[in-house]
Amino acid sequence: MRKFCFTILVLVFILSGCVTIKPKDFTYPYIAEYTGLDTLISIDGYYVAQRECDSTFFSVFMFYPDGLFTIATTSDVSGLKDCFENGGQSNLCQYPSWGTYRIEGNIIKTQTIRQEGMGISTIFRDYEINNTQILINISDYVVPQNTNLGYMKDYPYFSENRCSEAASFYPLAKKRSEKDCPFINKKWFNQNK
């Protein structure tokens, strides 16, 4: 009996890591339809932007033409081409955040999902497109009361970027597969499922 209970407990623990719950404030389901973003900015590659004025971290992000978005934060931007073309083998490549975007005027509003075990959170990032197709990260935040990840309540966010430096664009011959997104087959994420 002890062995049976232990086995059940182990199975519950393992399966709980596979469950994905919709974040409370995730409101941009993946629509898998052409957004027209490629008429406003270059999307055949990835962008690199300094995360904050006083930060040594960079945000590395990429848009897909159908509303999908992926981002990672790193202090080392070397080797990113393989990551964003092929998925790569580094931790940065294996654990990016995935989400969606909407275009509102000259603002790209993104919602990405951060999941760890049973905890989940939505991270909101907004990018302004200036008149010369330059992207600037203007906000990066979570809603603390809506996160199930305890440490995310103190997420070092900014609702208004104090140092609006342009993101650098790096073209790619191809992009990593959208199938790498772990939520692509979840009904709460993908409205076409």
Side-chain angles (χ1 to χ4, degrees):
M1 183 66 176
R2 275 184 164 176
K3 205 176 211 181
F4 177 76
C5 289
F6 178 76
T7 303
I8 294 297
L9 183 63
V10 168
L11 283 173
V12 167
F13 180 77
I14 290 170
L15 291 176
S16 69
C18 300
V19 175
T20 304
I21 309 163
K22 178 184 176 186
K24 295 174 189 172
D25 48 8
F26 182 75
T27 58
Y28 292 170
Y30 176 56
I31 54 175
E33 293 177 3
Y34 177 69
T35 64
L37 184 60
D38 62 340
T39 65
L40 303 173
I41 61 168
S42 297
I43 64 168
D44 290 327
Y46 63 94
Y47 287 87
V48 177
Q50 187 174 359
R51 192 178 172 283
E52 291 184 83
C53 301
D54 57 353
S55 177
T56 59
F57 288 98
F58 295 89
S59 292
V60 184
F61 52 96
M62 185 165 60
F63 299 95
Y64 290 83
D66 60 358
L68 195 63
F69 173 74
T70 185
I71 187 167
T73 302
T74 183
S75 58
D76 180 12
V77 293
S78 64
L80 291 176
K81 184 175 181 190
D82 181 50
C83 177
F84 281 90
E85 273 187 338
N86 306 309
Q89 297 302 316
S90 72
N91 282 344
L92 174 68
C93 300
Q94 300 303 313
Y95 301 106
S97 295
W98 290 84
T100 58
Y101 68 88
R102 299 289 187 271
I103 305 166
E104 294 182 11
N106 68 331
I107 305 293
I108 305 168
K109 298 177 105 21
T110 71
Q111 295 182 357
T112 54
I113 299 159
R114 175 99 172 139
Q115 180 183 3
E116 292 177 17
M118 293 295 289
I120 197 158
S121 181
T122 303
I123 302 174
F124 301 88
R125 292 179 183 92
D126 299 331
Y127 300 91
E128 180 180 58
I129 306 168
N130 77 10
N131 57 3
T132 57
Q133 297 187 330
I134 302 287
L135 272 188
I136 299 169
N137 181 208
I138 58 173
S139 66
D140 186 334
Y141 61 93
V142 297
V143 178
Q145 63 270 23
N146 289 341
T147 183
N148 292 334
L149 296 171
Y151 69 92
M152 290 298 283
K153 293 183 188 316
D154 297 323
Y155 182 73
Y157 71 94
F158 52 90
S159 55
E160 185 176 329
N161 193 346
R162 295 172 290 125
C163 64
S164 53
E165 292 188 24
S168 300
F169 179 73
Y170 297 89
L172 295 172
K174 67 175 186 164
K175 291 183 181 183
R176 73 185 296 178
S177 173
E178 293 178 347
K179 293 178 183 174
D180 288 349
C181 174
F183 313 113
I184 204 83
N185 292 315
K186 305 287 183 188
K187 288 182 182 180
W188 60 264
F189 181 83
N190 187 342
Q191 71 177 19
N192 298 314
K193 292 292 176 184

